[in-house]
Amino acid sequence: MSKNVTIVGGHGNVALRLARRLSLSPHGYSLTSIIRDPSQSLAITSAGATPLVLSLEHSPVSDFVNAFKNQDVIVFSAGAGGKGGEERTKQVDYEGAVKVFDAIDAIESESKPRLILISGLNAIEEGRVPDHYNDQDKAISDQTFKLIPAYLKWKYEADKNLVQRTAFKWTILRPGQLTNEPGTGKASIGRTHLSPPIPRDDVANILALLVEREDTGGLTIDVIGGETPIEEGLDAFVKKGETDFLGNVTQWTTLEELKNLESRKHAKSLVLGNYPSSYGSPSTFFSATIAPVITFLITTTTVYMGKKITIVGGHGNVALRLARLLSQSSHDYTVTSIIRDPAHAADISSTKATPLVLSLELSPVSEFTSAFQGQDVVVFSAGAGGKGGEERTKKVDYEGALKVFDAVEAVDGERPRLLLVSAVDIRDEEKIPEHYNDQDKAMSERIRKVIPVYMKWKYEADKNLSKRTAFKWTILRPGGLTNEPGTGKASIGRTHLSPQISRDDVAQVLALLIEREDAAGLGIDLVGGETSLEEGLDAFIKKGETDFLG
């Protein structure tokens, strides 16, 4: 008989991977993924699960009790991801977890669901050191407690609360630093060190195995990258029956007690904040040991630590390319693509972005404001494409753009940056750039005769944006576009009007601009060329001279 499985925090990287694996399993699981944002429902459905909207912060325990009835396994894969400060970390990582524990406890049945809790490696009681940690592990552990104490405190408190529960079976999985590399099917499981990192694919595979491993009840399992096949490593650890939970004081040595051990001298140097001399310098030591673990600690939870990006006009050629690039980035972005036609949703999902249906022509500003709340960057890549005559060009390329500008301004709290995709030679008709040669001038004149309406409303939109001061913005102005494969090269800033540039390369420049806050206030021309994209963009930004003439 197939199992009913509910995933709490269902929109996270690991959670989505787990749902896909379980949906493809011959075991025939029935899957529910709990999310707090209804706009994530399509992503859940595409992973083969049924979305259920509940909030760990606001929904009562009774709602979770109802959701968990008749379930066989609950997977808790949620977390604040370090956003919202200590208070929100406590609310989600600790109080939210305890809410789930209480809900399972409250189910009126002898057969309560098992719980699999995803915690984090090194979420231990401060001042206690696992006896298998080497000097590097001890140093990393000591430093991370100094840098992110709230995260470690509330993760540990949640784990400690769970291990005292006896009304239902539970397992804690504690992965190390996560990557988006393809899974290897191998890992180091149990009594691990704090490195190397492990792909999210492999963590999801282990979770899928744990769904069927009732014999892991009461165990806490550390997992990092390694060379042992996952099933073999998990089986060996379970047979030992020795938990990795860090609250059993009989298994740990305090830093004070380390003074009486043979490693006393080195341990004391760690307590005092010194570093092993073999690393040469503090910065080398930090880069080699501390930094990777900090990265792990802020990425193990299901709320993404990378930037949240919304692309307006998400079904365009450049926009689709951009979404794919961002989904493959090591920055671990969360991407939402706004489309006007629900039929485009499958194309958006195939890029790993989440589709959101809104219309620049019909949806009110308030709906865009809601969509932009909590976002870091908004990319405007929409346009009428010459369809519908002057009236529609004005509605989409100008009025639609202003609707987005107004929506960004109306966001409560920190407003997202805006990247506007415009076009080269969009300018005041009376102002001819000094670097234009005769060929540029002739081409500009021809273009304005052929598509005057497009040039007019694109310019009006750019001009409007250039006067805004409530949020940061950048205008990218590519030349004629092709579908040729990207070259990774271009001419950037103070360009001529040719040669053409690949859409691949335009998307790549947009992806670079996501991380370039120092491009704020600049209009950047972009055509085909021979300078590497990063080098050309960096050189132009350093000059600080906009290409927009208005």
Side-chain angles (χ1 to χ4, degrees):
M1 186 173 178
S2 65
K3 288 183 170 64
N4 296 323
V5 180
T6 291
I7 304 172
V8 181
H11 195 250
N13 274 320
V14 171
L16 287 170
R17 286 169 166 83
L18 174 61
R20 293 187 191 103
R21 278 159 181 72
L22 295 180
S23 69
L24 298 172
S25 169
H27 289 291
Y29 297 111
S30 176
L31 303 175
T32 301
S33 286
I34 292 178
I35 52 177
R36 62 182 177 85
D37 186 347
S39 70
Q40 298 166 347
S41 295
L42 280 174
I44 299 302
T45 303
S46 68
T50 300
L52 174 62
V53 179
L54 288 175
S55 169
L56 285 170
E57 298 171 82
H58 304 298
S59 299
V61 171
S62 59
D63 285 356
F64 285 90
V65 173
N66 291 331
F68 296 161
K69 285 180 179 177
N70 301 316
Q71 297 299 293
D72 297 291
V73 180
I74 308 297
V75 180
F76 186 93
S77 184
K83 294 193 174 181
E86 179 173 358
E87 184 59 30
R88 188 163 187 269
T89 297
K90 179 183 178 183
Q91 287 180 343
V92 178
D93 294 68
Y94 173 63
E95 294 175 356
V98 172
K99 181 179 288 187
V100 167
F101 308 161
D102 290 345
I104 297 175
D105 260 342
I107 293 175
E108 295 179 355
S109 170
E110 293 183 3
S111 180
K112 300 183 194 310
R114 284 192 297 126
L115 173 70
I116 302 172
L117 174 72
I118 302 178
S119 182
L121 193 63
N122 201 49
I124 63 175
E125 182 177 355
E126 186 174 7
R128 294 193 173 273
V129 181
D131 53 17
H132 63 277
Y133 274 19
N134 59 26
D135 289 342
Q136 179 175 319
D137 295 327
K138 295 168 189 172
I140 294 170
S141 179
D142 185 52
Q143 289 296 324
T144 51
F145 268 101
K146 293 177 181 177
L147 293 168
I148 46 175
Y151 174 92
L152 292 170
K153 171 184 178 182
W154 295 116
K155 278 293 183 187
Y156 169 68
E157 290 297 329
D159 292 2
K160 187 171 69 171
N161 184 294
L162 180 59
V163 301
Q164 299 174 65
R165 304 265 178 162
T166 59
F168 58 90
K169 293 181 178 180
W170 52 262
T171 304
I172 303 175
L173 184 66
R174 299 156 26 104
Q177 180 186 355
L178 304 176
T179 76
N180 287 321
E181 297 299 314
T184 65
K186 298 179 179 180
S188 175
I189 299 179
R191 293 294 190 274
T192 69
H193 296 293
L194 298 186
S195 61
I198 183 169
R200 289 178 171 88
D201 285 350
D202 288 327
V203 174
N205 278 332
I206 294 171
L207 287 167
L209 292 173
L210 288 173
V211 168
E212 293 296 324
R213 293 297 297 255
E214 295 190 24
D215 54 351
T216 63
L219 294 181
T220 297
I221 306 172
D222 289 353
V223 57
I224 59 172
E227 294 302 320
T228 303
I230 287 172
E231 290 194 46
E232 179 184 329
L234 183 61
D235 195 55
F237 181 78
V238 174
K239 285 179 179 178
K240 287 182 180 178
E242 298 176 357
T243 183
D244 278 333
F245 176 63
L246 310 180
N248 186 343
V249 297
T250 63
Q251 298 177 11
W252 315 109
T253 305
T254 67
L255 291 175
E256 285 298 315
E257 290 163 348
L258 278 172
K259 295 177 181 179
N260 299 317
L261 303 177
E262 289 183 2
S263 57
R264 177 178 180 272
K265 182 177 180 180
H266 184 58
K268 184 176 180 181
S269 74
L270 296 178
V271 175
L272 294 175
N274 296 328
Y275 65 94
S277 60
S278 60
Y279 284 93
S281 70
S283 60
T284 302
F285 174 60
F286 183 88
S287 297
T289 63
I290 308 298
V293 175
I294 295 172
T295 301
F296 142 68
L297 286 168
I298 62 175
T299 57
T300 50
T301 53
T302 60
V303 180
Y304 305 130
M305 286 306 299
K307 289 183 172 64
K308 294 183 178 180
I309 316 297
T310 292
I311 304 172
V312 181
H315 198 251
N317 279 319
V318 170
L320 289 169
R321 287 168 165 83
L322 174 61
R324 291 189 192 98
L325 284 174
L326 297 180
S327 70
Q328 296 165 3
S329 169
S330 61
H331 290 291
D332 201 16
Y333 298 113
T334 303
V335 183
T336 300
S337 288
I338 292 178
I339 51 177
R340 61 180 177 85
D341 187 347
H344 296 156
D347 291 336
I348 300 302
S349 296
S350 71
T351 69
K352 309 301 182 187
T354 300
L356 175 61
V357 179
L358 289 175
S359 169
L360 285 171
E361 298 170 80
L362 303 175
S363 300
V365 171
S366 60
E367 291 188 9
F368 283 91
T369 298
S370 296
F372 298 159
Q373 199 73 43
Q375 299 299 292
D376 297 291
V377 181
V378 173
V379 180
F380 185 94
S381 185
K387 295 180 180 179
E390 178 172 359
E391 186 59 31
R392 187 161 186 270
T393 297
K394 179 182 179 182
K395 279 188 173 297
V396 177
D397 294 69
Y398 174 64
E399 293 176 359
L402 265 59
K403 182 177 288 185
V404 167
F405 306 163
D406 291 343
V408 173
E409 282 199 2
V411 167
D412 291 330
E414 186 173 351
R415 298 182 178 95
R417 285 192 297 129
L418 176 72
L419 302 181
L420 175 71
V421 182
S422 182
V424 74
D425 200 42
I426 297 297
R427 57 180 173 85
D428 184 334
E429 193 171 353
E430 301 300 320
K431 296 180 179 179
I432 300 175
E434 294 178 355
H435 63 277
Y436 274 20
N437 57 26
D438 289 341
Q439 181 179 332
D440 294 326
K441 294 173 184 174
M443 184 180 296
S444 177
E445 188 175 348
R446 287 198 303 273
I447 291 172
R448 289 175 190 283
K449 289 179 180 178
V450 173
I451 48 171
V453 173
Y454 173 90
M455 301 298 286
K456 172 185 176 181
W457 293 117
K458 278 291 184 186
Y459 170 63
E460 291 299 328
D462 291 6
K463 185 171 65 171
N464 184 290
L465 180 59
S466 69
K467 298 175 181 178
R468 305 262 180 163
T469 59
F471 57 89
K472 293 180 178 179
W473 52 263
T474 302
I475 304 173
L476 185 65
R477 301 154 39 95
L481 302 176
T482 77
N483 288 320
E484 296 298 315
T487 66
K489 298 178 179 181
S491 176
I492 299 178
R494 295 293 191 273
T495 69
H496 297 293
L497 300 188
S498 60
Q500 295 177 311
I501 185 167
S502 165
R503 288 180 170 88
D504 286 350
D505 289 325
V506 175
Q508 186 65 56
V509 173
L510 284 168
L512 292 172
L513 285 171
I514 295 290
E515 294 296 324
R516 294 301 298 257
E517 296 188 24
D518 54 351
L522 295 179
I524 306 173
D525 288 355
L526 175 71
V527 297
E530 295 301 319
T531 304
S532 71
L533 298 179
E534 290 193 42
E535 179 184 336
L537 185 62
D538 194 57
F540 181 77
I541 291 174
K542 285 180 178 177
K543 287 182 181 178
E545 298 176 359
T546 185
D547 278 331
F548 176 68
L549 290 178

